[in-house]
């Protein structure tokens, strides 16, 4: 190919494409070589100063002794030093007393976001909006009460309410009548209200249908649905038939809030209680 080089005397390799595109033998620019050698020197220096080279199950530590874990721990110590004075105050106060201090409340809410994200958001949503089978924490509808003390108790010990399934005790028509009452309390027929009383539903949900917080029974008169609001009648029918946490009903609803007293410290639970209370639904 070099014998047929159409550019004789030019410093090229003899490789020509499309008549005039060729590979030249020009030396690499001096500035590029200087940059190359500087970068090579920097690579060697970095390997001496910092951890870099794998060595079996370990690695070279570097003469500076720096590590990402060490830098993280130093930063964490700085953060904990700033937070220490607030954490010490929280340890000596109740959740109610924390809420009475505006500055301490602001710190507690800000410092509990990660806690809520780690332990609560998977079920209740990042903003407490709840899910298909998990309660909303940002409204004012509470089965057991929305005081900060009650919320703290719930987080500590968990909750496991129970409603027995009535599928074998009530006829399909009776269940349908009661479901219509639950779906539209104010517009329900007198027949539905009479059936509610005669079947003893008031024993758990109260004569006015507003629920009994000591029992954790649902308020049947509002438009808040624990399991589904797409079809209130169908949802109520299913719950009346199969119950909630009924061990004798294979198709029962499952609604369990786990206890966190063995996973979180007393301070962490207290802070989470304040955080949930301040989501907007505490009362």
């Amino acid at each position: 190919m070099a014998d047929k080089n159409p550019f004789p005397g030019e410093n090229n390799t003899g490789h020509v494409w499309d008549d005039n595109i060729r590979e030249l033998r020009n030396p690499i620019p001096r500035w590029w070589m200087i940059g190359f050698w500087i970068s090579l020197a920097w690579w060697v220096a970095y390997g001496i100063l910092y951890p870099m080279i794998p060595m079996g199950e370990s690695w070279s530590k570097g003469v500076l002794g720096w590590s990402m874990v060490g830098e993280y721990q130093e930063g964490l110590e700085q953060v904990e030093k700033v937070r220490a004075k607030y954490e010490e105050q929280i340890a000596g106060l109740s959740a109610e007393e924390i809420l009475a201090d505006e500055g301490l409340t602001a710190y507690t809410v800000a410092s509990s976001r990660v806690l809520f994200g780690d332990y609560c958001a998977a079920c209740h949503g990042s903003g407490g909006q709840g899910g298909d089978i998990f309660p909303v924490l940002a409204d004012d509808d509470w089965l057991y009460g929305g005081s900060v003390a009650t919320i703290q108790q719930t987080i500590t010990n968990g909750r496991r309410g129970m409603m027995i399934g009535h599928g074998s005790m009530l006829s399909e028509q009776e269940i349908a009548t009661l479901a219509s009452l639950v779906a539209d309390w104010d517009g329900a027929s007198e027949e539905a209200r009479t059936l509610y009383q005669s079947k003893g539903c008031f024993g758990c949900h109260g004569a006015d249908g507003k629920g009994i917080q000591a029992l954790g029974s649902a308020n049947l008169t509002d438009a808040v649905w624990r399991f589904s609001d797409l079809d209130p009648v169908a949802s109520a029918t299913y719950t009346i038939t199969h119950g909630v946490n009924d061990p004798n009903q294979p198709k029962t609803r499952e609604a369990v809030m786990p206890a966190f007293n063995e996973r979180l410290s007393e301070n962490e639970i207290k802070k989470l209680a304040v955080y949930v209370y301040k989501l907007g639904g505490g009362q």
Side-chain angles (χ1 to χ4, degrees):
M1 183 179 294
D3 296 338
K4 300 179 181 180
N5 189 343
F7 302 93
E10 184 180 54
N11 188 23
N12 64 53
T13 62
H15 298 159
V16 180
W17 299 270
D18 294 335
D19 297 329
N20 61 359
I21 300 176
R22 62 269 191 199
E23 182 181 1
L24 303 180
R25 296 181 184 274
N26 295 335
I28 297 174
R30 183 176 296 275
W31 66 264
W32 192 95
M33 289 302 299
I34 292 173
F36 171 75
W37 289 113
I38 290 175
S39 64
L40 184 61
W42 168 247
W43 178 81
V44 173
Y46 186 95
I48 295 172
L49 297 173
Y50 295 98
M52 189 174 95
I53 304 173
M55 303 173 62
E57 296 183 359
S58 184
W59 58 90
S60 61
K61 306 300 182 183
V63 297
L64 296 181
W66 178 91
S67 71
M68 292 180 66
V69 173
E71 184 173 4
Y72 162 76
Q73 290 175 338
E74 288 178 8
L76 185 61
E77 289 173 2
Q78 293 173 2
V79 172
E80 290 179 343
K81 185 177 180 180
V82 173
R83 298 173 67 172
K85 62 179 181 180
Y86 298 105
E87 295 294 333
E88 289 172 1
Q89 292 181 61
I90 289 173
L93 299 175
S94 66
E96 291 90 342
E97 290 171 326
I98 293 171
L99 286 169
D101 186 316
E102 186 176 345
L104 200 54
T105 298
Y107 165 79
T108 302
V109 171
S111 64
S112 299
R113 287 193 179 94
V114 173
L115 268 178
F116 187 86
D118 288 345
Y119 293 96
C120 312
C123 293
H124 297 287
S126 59
Q129 72 271 24
D132 290 340
I133 61 172
F134 301 107
V136 176
L137 302 181
D139 60 14
D140 59 358
D141 186 81
W142 298 87
L143 293 179
Y144 294 91
S147 70
V148 70
T150 303
I151 295 171
Q152 184 175 347
Q153 183 183 38
T154 297
I155 298 171
T156 303
N157 301 318
R159 298 288 186 182
R160 186 184 180 90
M162 203 272 280
M163 172 178 169
I164 60 173
H166 289 74
S168 61
M169 302 179 230
L170 301 174
S171 67
E172 290 186 8
Q173 182 56 51
E174 288 174 327
I175 291 176
T177 300
L178 288 173
S180 68
L181 171 68
V182 174
D184 183 10
W185 183 272
D186 293 332
S189 66
E190 191 60 36
E191 174 192 2
R193 297 182 185 280
T194 300
L195 186 63
Y196 175 85
Q197 297 294 330
S198 65
K199 294 301 180 180
C201 304
F202 64 89
C204 291
H205 295 284
D208 57 2
K210 295 186 181 296
I212 301 174
Q213 290 186 340
L215 302 176
S217 56
N219 182 349
L220 306 179
T221 66
D222 57 19
V224 179
W225 294 88
R226 171 65 175 81
F227 297 100
S228 173
D229 59 357
L230 298 178
D231 187 344
V233 174
S235 180
T237 298
Y238 190 96
T239 301
I240 295 169
T241 303
H242 302 290
V244 179
N245 295 328
D246 186 344
N248 299 314
Q249 291 284 342
K251 296 182 179 181
T252 191
R253 304 273 201 190
E254 293 186 7
V256 179
M257 162 73 182
F260 284 87
N261 55 352
E262 294 184 358
R263 285 180 269 184
L264 298 174
S265 68
E266 183 179 350
N267 257 24
E268 289 173 325
I269 291 175
K270 193 187 305 182
K271 290 169 66 176
L272 272 177
V274 172
Y275 184 88
V276 172
Y277 182 89
K278 294 299 288 183
L279 281 175
Q283 58 172 310

